[in-house]
Amino acid sequence: MNTLTPEVEWNVGALLGEGPVWVERERALYFVDIKRRRVHRYVPESGERSSWEAPAQTGFVLPHADGGFVCGLQGGLHRFTPENARFVLRVPVESGLPGNRLNDAHVDTEGRLWFGSMDDAEREPTGSLWRVEGDQAPRVHDSGYIITNGPAMSPDFRTLYHVDSLRRAIYTFDVGNDGELSSRRLFSTHAPPGDPDGLVVDAEGYVWVATFGGARIERYAPNGLSVGHVAFPCSNVTKLAFGGDDLRTAYVTTARKGLDEAALAREPFAGALFSFRAPAAGQKQSLCRIVCPD
């Protein structure tokens, strides 16, 4: 695994590339540039590339069962329709915390949306782990984070992984049939260079963790031990998504954020979208089924 070589798919120059997601119905990859307020779409088969400007910082874009997407913008959950480039606020989140924004997210097999919030200034522990189900209001399941990342589920849907980036900690929770979380515990204290960023769990139950400032993706066994890594030609690796017909093509976002001119000269592909062939397949992307009222 340590010999895998990522290839550049799109040198998009993202300031803070994040949230890659494989959208099976389009055979396309979507991802965001949080700081430049962009949603990007890439079609590997044709090489087609599209971009949309969002009205606020966008932490994630996830396909909805009714068509279109749910996006986590600063201020709440929006419905995004690529055909007319419309973003419509449907569910306000943390309107009393204007310094916060939404960050990473995951949809489980029941269509529930899990997402994190964080202090945009990256100083105060005002971030939380949220869940939205059906037509219910958003609920907080854990709090006290400065930067949240993850979340993601194990293949048996019994374990949720979540990242506390600045504490360099990866936590697990038990997940009940009703979606309730319990028994938070430490899965791993991130030892490699850099801070743990976005993560994803493959079909074998192994956890892939991007490292911001560490120039790599680390793969962890279900027992929390590292079993290898994939090195990148740029420092800030942010998240991975499995795509393609066999879900074995790993698409990876990166970032230019925090790099000075000298570092950018050394890292001409910082902020690019990369890919590599993974030794295991990923899990199929579930469609979001939350009710977004008009």
Side-chain angles (χ1 to χ4, degrees):
M1 197 180 124
N2 294 11
T3 61
L4 295 174
T5 302
E7 298 182 355
V8 174
E9 293 283 346
W10 182 1
N11 193 14
V12 65
L15 185 56
L16 184 53
E18 261 289 4
V21 58
W22 180 254
V23 180
E24 184 179 12
R25 64 195 180 203
E26 300 182 28
R27 300 184 71 193
L29 186 89
Y30 281 74
F31 62 103
V32 301
D33 184 342
I34 297 174
K35 292 300 180 181
R36 290 200 170 117
R37 304 182 179 187
R38 296 287 190 275
V39 174
H40 297 298
R41 176 180 183 264
Y42 173 64
V43 183
E45 187 174 359
S46 66
E48 178 188 348
R49 302 165 181 180
S50 307
S51 300
W52 297 266
E53 183 175 356
Q57 294 185 101
T58 306
F60 59 85
V61 53
L62 292 166
H64 197 280
D66 294 337
F69 295 81
V70 173
C71 288
L73 273 67
Q74 192 162 11
L77 304 177
H78 289 59
R79 283 302 299 266
F80 166 52
T81 309
E83 289 76 12
N84 58 17
R86 291 187 67 208
F87 293 82
V88 181
L89 175 63
R90 294 295 176 85
V91 182
V93 178
E94 296 187 340
S95 55
L97 293 171
N100 271 20
R101 66 170 174 84
L102 305 190
N103 203 35
D104 214 352
H106 174 76
V107 177
D108 67 21
T109 55
E110 299 298 319
R112 295 177 290 221
L113 175 65
W114 301 84
F115 62 93
S117 63
M118 60 172 282
D119 174 26
D120 191 40
E122 303 181 7
R123 291 192 297 263
E124 302 298 325
T126 54
S128 297
L129 171 61
W130 293 83
R131 185 191 82 190
V132 183
E133 179 176 3
D135 61 356
Q136 299 176 11
R139 287 190 52 197
V140 172
H141 283 269
D142 201 23
S143 58
Y145 297 83
I146 298 176
I147 300 177
T148 61
N149 269 297
M153 289 275 188
S154 61
D156 63 4
F157 321 120
R158 294 296 184 183
T159 303
L160 182 137
Y161 296 87
H162 197 230
V163 177
D164 189 338
S165 291
L166 292 192
R167 292 189 179 96
R168 297 170 63 87
I170 304 167
Y171 298 116
T172 59
F173 297 81
D174 292 335
V175 185
N177 292 333
D178 56 0
E180 293 299 312
L181 300 184
S182 61
S183 304
R184 188 182 91 165
R185 56 202 178 273
L186 188 66
F187 171 71
S188 176
T189 300
H190 191 72
D195 295 326
D197 204 310
L199 63 78
V200 67
V201 185
D202 66 28
E204 297 178 354
Y206 284 67
V207 182
W208 299 70
V209 183
T211 62
F212 197 93
R216 65 204 288 170
I217 287 179
E218 202 78 15
R219 190 183 190 218
Y220 291 91
N223 63 6
L225 296 179
S226 174
V227 295
H229 70 272
V230 180
F232 280 75
C234 53
S235 300
N236 300 330
V237 186
T238 56
K239 194 171 182 178
L240 174 151
F242 292 100
D245 292 340
D246 60 0
L247 295 178
R248 280 194 54 199
T249 300
Y251 292 100
V252 182
T253 50
T254 63
R256 297 167 65 89
K257 180 177 178 285
L259 301 178
D260 59 21
E261 290 186 8
L264 290 172
R266 294 192 300 270
E267 302 180 16
F269 298 120
L273 175 69
F274 290 84
S275 72
F276 63 87
R277 291 290 289 170
Q283 300 183 66
K284 184 177 179 179
Q285 173 65 42
S286 297
L287 299 177
C288 187
R289 297 185 182 275
I290 68 170
V291 176
C292 294
D294 291 328

